[in-house]
């Protein structure tokens, strides 16, 4: 057994008995067996355990109890299929079993076990007994591939479980929060919600709708950029609001109309949201509002922290107005945290997802000179930064949500190439980038922002993905057992 330390992965034992393969994964977790069971039993556990490089979605969930069934949709290359699993042998604080009722395997039995460790923590043990379809031919052609997929999947799952529990335990003295989240279906919001719910918090997604809409589903909390929260008198008191909604800045060329939508969705949308908070009988204690390091503009090699001045350009101007709109909530006695996010890395979406296809085919290369700085953060640390901002009362005002290691585009390019084992010999010169992307190229692709997370580090925030290479290895499923 290996104790999880940073990105060390679980011990794996593979055995084959006749046509059945058994794979076992063990990790010592700094939590108790009841903690592990509760985390797995809460809503969102499946989403937290889903590797970002896999195309897996839950169709229909069910509570963790004997006989309950879960439908899952999977895509492997061009093949799509559904998987029906049933929970069995559920023993509170000890474990449970998932059995495939219908799916790609001839047999699949997965036992999750949570046992006390000698060090006072818990042993997380996953044992999978499976049989591939097709008999000997199935094992010959798919056996190694399936085993490798399970290796990387459970390395990710165990690391995520340990990291999430550690984050929640840092604030175990705090009461669970009731939190509203706008932009909950976006890349960041869809990762934040299951993280919070598995930690025991109550989270309500706030879907965007048109202000003129008069009907709503029971229990739905609606908002619109034009009017803010709709029917605020129907909203139960809540502790915090996380505001992530806004028009994507990277979805297309920046025409005059598109720039107006980007600005209005953030500036006017935030302004109207804050105004509607003022109409509540009990406003929330905390507002965490997304912002971006575009606030600083392009600054070359200059080291930037939260005290640095704003830069120039469309993004800098938009961020200044956006943050000013959020800070109006301070007049209501609300603690406001402005998280200035860097490039959020995950293969499930955003910048990294757009880079992966050309890089995987060996067509990747540096952008422009390659000397411009990229300030980045992994998707899990971005979620962790929001969680920290919600619960750490010391954080107020602008907070840089970036990894402590800003790197050049050349460094990033070569590191991604190594992670994928592909050459990176096809650069995109600055004129080509401007031809393809217009104004967006100068403000996003060729811009240089060397940003440091001074406030997060002072507040004791722990970066799980502090260095780029191990972060990419983990996010792309390249971590293997030692």
């Amino acid at each position: 057994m290996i104790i999880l330390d940073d990105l060390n992965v679980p011990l794996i034992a593979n055995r084959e008995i006749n046509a059945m393969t058994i794979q076992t994964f063990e990790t010592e977790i700094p939590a108790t067996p009841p903690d592990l069971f509760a985390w797995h039993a809460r809503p969102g556990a499946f989403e937290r355990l889903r590797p970002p490089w896999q195309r897996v979605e839950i169709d229909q969930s069910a509570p963790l109890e004997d006989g309950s069934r879960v439908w899952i949709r999977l895509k492997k290359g061009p093949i799509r299929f559904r998987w029906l699993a049933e929970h069995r042998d559920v023993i509170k604080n000890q474990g449970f079993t998932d059995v495939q009722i219908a799916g790609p395997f001839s047999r699949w039995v997965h036992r999750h076990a949570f046992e006390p460790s000698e060090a006072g923590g818990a042993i997380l043990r996953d044992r999978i007994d499976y049989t591939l379809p097709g008999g000997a031919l199935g094992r010959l052609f798919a056996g190694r591939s399936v085993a490798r997929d399970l290796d990387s999947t459970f390395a990710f799952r165990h690391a995520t479980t340990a990291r999430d529990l550690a984050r929640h335990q840092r604030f175990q003295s705090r009461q669970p929060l009731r939190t509203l989240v706008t932009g909950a279906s976006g890349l960041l919001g869809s990762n934040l919600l299951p993280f919070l719910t598995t930690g025991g918090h109550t989270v309500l997604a706030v879907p965007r709708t048109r202000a003129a809409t008069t009907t709503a589903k029971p229990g739905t909390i609606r908002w619109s950029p034009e009017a803010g929260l709709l029917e605020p008198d129907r909203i139960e008191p809540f502790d915090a609001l996380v505001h992530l909604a806004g028009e994507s800045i990277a979805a297309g060329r920046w025409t005059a109309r598109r720039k107006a939508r980007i600005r209005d969705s953030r500036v006017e949308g935030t302004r109207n949201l804050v105004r509607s908070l003022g109409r509540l009988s009990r406003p929330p204690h905390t507002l965490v509002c997304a912002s971006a390091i575009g606030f600083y503009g392009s600054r070359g090699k200059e080291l930037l922290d939260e005290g640095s001045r704003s830069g120039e350009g469309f993004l800098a101007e938009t961020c200044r107005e956006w943050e000013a709109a959020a800070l109006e909530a301070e007049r209501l006695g609300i603690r406001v945290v402005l998280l200035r996010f860097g490039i959020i890395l995950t293969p499930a979406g955003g910048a990294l997802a757009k880079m992966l296809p050309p890089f995987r085919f060996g067509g990747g290369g540096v952008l422009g000179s390659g000397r411009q700085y990229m300030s980045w953060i992994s998707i899990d640390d971005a979620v962790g930064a929001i969680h920290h901002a919600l619960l750490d009362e010391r954080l107020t005002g602008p907070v840089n949500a970036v990894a402590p290691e800003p790197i050049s585009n050349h460094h990033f390019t070569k590191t991604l190439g190594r992670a994928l084992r592909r050459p990176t010999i096809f650069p995109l010169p600055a004129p080509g980038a401007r031809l393809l992307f217009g104004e967006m190229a100068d403000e996003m692709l060729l811009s240089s922002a060397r940003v440091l997370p001074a406030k997060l580090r002072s507040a004791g925030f722990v970066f799980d993905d502090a260095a780029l290479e191990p972060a990419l290895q983990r996010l792309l499923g390249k971590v293997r057992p030692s």
Side-chain angles (χ1 to χ4, degrees):
M1 178 168 52
I2 296 176
I3 296 177
L4 186 71
D5 181 15
D6 194 20
L7 286 180
N8 288 342
V9 298
L11 175 70
I12 290 185
N14 295 345
R15 288 185 290 148
E16 189 168 311
I17 302 176
N18 296 325
M20 182 174 67
T21 301
I22 300 173
Q23 288 187 240
T24 305
F25 307 81
E26 291 185 4
T27 301
E28 184 160 351
I29 305 289
T32 66
D35 290 336
L36 274 174
F37 184 89
W39 188 90
H40 282 81
R42 292 179 183 131
F46 175 86
E47 288 81 1
R48 288 304 296 158
L49 294 173
R50 175 180 56 199
W53 65 86
Q54 292 182 355
R55 303 288 295 274
V56 182
E57 295 180 10
I58 191 162
D59 252 1
Q60 182 179 331
S61 61
L64 184 55
E65 57 188 32
D66 281 320
S68 63
R69 293 186 170 189
V70 179
W71 277 104
I72 301 168
R73 284 186 288 124
L74 303 94
K75 182 179 180 183
K76 183 72 172 177
I79 303 173
R80 299 172 184 267
F81 49 88
R82 297 183 77 200
W83 189 328
L84 176 61
E86 182 175 278
H87 297 315
R88 296 179 184 174
D89 304 322
V90 179
I91 304 176
K92 187 176 181 179
N93 300 334
Q94 296 183 35
F96 61 98
T97 300
D98 292 327
V99 178
Q100 176 191 283
I101 304 302
F105 292 87
S106 295
R107 166 187 166 85
W108 173 279
V109 179
H110 175 190
R111 179 64 186 171
H112 312 250
F114 317 127
E115 303 169 3
S117 71
E118 294 180 359
I123 303 298
L124 170 60
R125 179 179 296 111
D126 286 282
R127 169 178 162 150
I128 302 98
D129 303 359
Y130 64 92
T131 304
L132 294 169
L137 283 177
R139 295 194 300 276
L140 176 65
F141 288 104
R144 288 187 178 180
S145 174
V146 170
R148 285 196 302 268
D149 283 351
L150 289 174
D151 288 354
S152 57
T153 293
F154 280 89
F156 175 87
R157 289 174 66 128
H158 281 219
T160 298
T161 304
R163 290 172 164 197
D164 281 14
L165 282 165
R167 287 205 188 279
H168 291 300
Q169 285 175 347
R170 292 184 191 113
F171 293 97
Q172 60 185 344
S173 62
R174 293 287 307 271
Q175 292 294 317
L177 299 178
R178 178 179 168 86
T179 303
L180 307 188
V181 180
T182 70
S185 61
L187 184 66
L188 188 50
S190 61
N191 282 269
L192 174 65
L193 264 66
F195 173 84
L196 292 175
T197 54
T198 49
H201 300 283
T202 300
V203 187
L204 300 175
V206 185
R208 176 177 171 175
T209 187
R210 294 181 179 178
T213 303
T214 57
T215 58
K217 296 179 181 179
T220 297
I221 298 172
R222 302 175 299 135
W223 85 287
S224 80
E226 298 82 13
L229 291 171
L230 304 178
E231 302 173 306
D233 55 311
R234 296 180 60 245
I235 300 173
E236 295 180 18
F238 58 99
D239 303 301
L241 171 63
V242 179
H243 182 38
L244 304 176
E247 187 86 8
S248 172
I249 62 174
R253 291 177 71 93
W254 287 358
T255 63
R257 174 180 286 185
R258 178 154 182 74
K259 286 168 67 175
R261 288 205 306 268
I262 290 171
R263 181 201 172 278
D264 290 348
S265 69
R266 286 165 169 75
V267 179
E268 297 304 325
T270 302
R271 184 173 291 138
N272 289 327
L273 184 63
V274 169
R275 286 172 179 165
S276 66
L277 294 180
R279 298 195 295 270
L280 297 174
S281 58
R282 200 193 84 178
H285 177 70
T286 300
L287 168 63
V288 176
C289 183
S291 184
I293 60 169
F295 174 91
Y296 301 107
S298 186
R299 307 284 279 273
K301 295 182 178 181
E302 180 183 355
L303 285 172
L304 305 167
D305 62 20
E306 290 85 355
S308 300
R309 63 176 175 82
S310 180
E312 298 179 354
F314 169 69
L315 285 183
E317 180 181 345
T318 299
C319 287
R320 284 196 300 271
E321 295 185 54
W322 186 7
E323 293 185 2
L327 287 171
E328 289 294 317
E330 290 182 333
R331 298 183 180 182
L332 304 173
I334 297 173
R335 178 175 66 95
V336 179
V337 183
L338 308 166
L339 285 176
R340 293 174 180 165
F341 288 103
I343 301 168
I344 298 176
L345 296 184
T346 171
L352 182 58
K354 289 182 170 67
M355 297 177 196
L356 285 176
F359 272 79
R360 280 179 169 144
F361 283 103
V366 299
L367 293 172
S369 69
R371 294 191 295 270
Q372 68 272 27
Y373 275 89
M374 300 172 61
S375 295
W376 61 278
I377 187 168
S378 74
I379 184 69
D380 292 318
D381 278 344
V383 165
I386 297 174
H387 174 247
H388 205 98
L390 285 169
L391 292 166
D392 192 329
E393 300 286 338
R394 295 172 295 175
L395 288 176
T396 60
V399 176
N400 292 333
V402 293
E405 184 186 299
I407 43 84
S408 69
N409 175 262
H410 180 272
H411 183 176
F412 181 90
T413 299
K414 297 306 176 184
T415 304
L416 180 55
R418 283 196 303 272
L420 296 171
R421 298 182 180 179
R422 294 292 187 272
T424 54
I425 57 176
F426 294 97
L428 179 60
R434 294 185 182 106
L435 181 64
L436 289 172
F437 302 105
E439 180 184 356
M440 184 171 64
D442 283 306
E443 295 222 22
M444 293 184 62
L445 306 179
L446 307 174
S447 175
S448 182
R450 194 180 180 190
V451 183
L452 300 177
K455 280 191 173 181
L456 273 180
R457 300 196 81 171
S458 295
F461 179 78
V462 177
F463 286 91
D464 287 328
D465 295 310
L468 179 64
E469 188 151 7
L472 287 174
Q473 293 281 348
R474 186 183 70 86
L475 289 167
L476 297 173
K478 303 300 181 181
V479 177
R480 292 288 186 268
S482 56

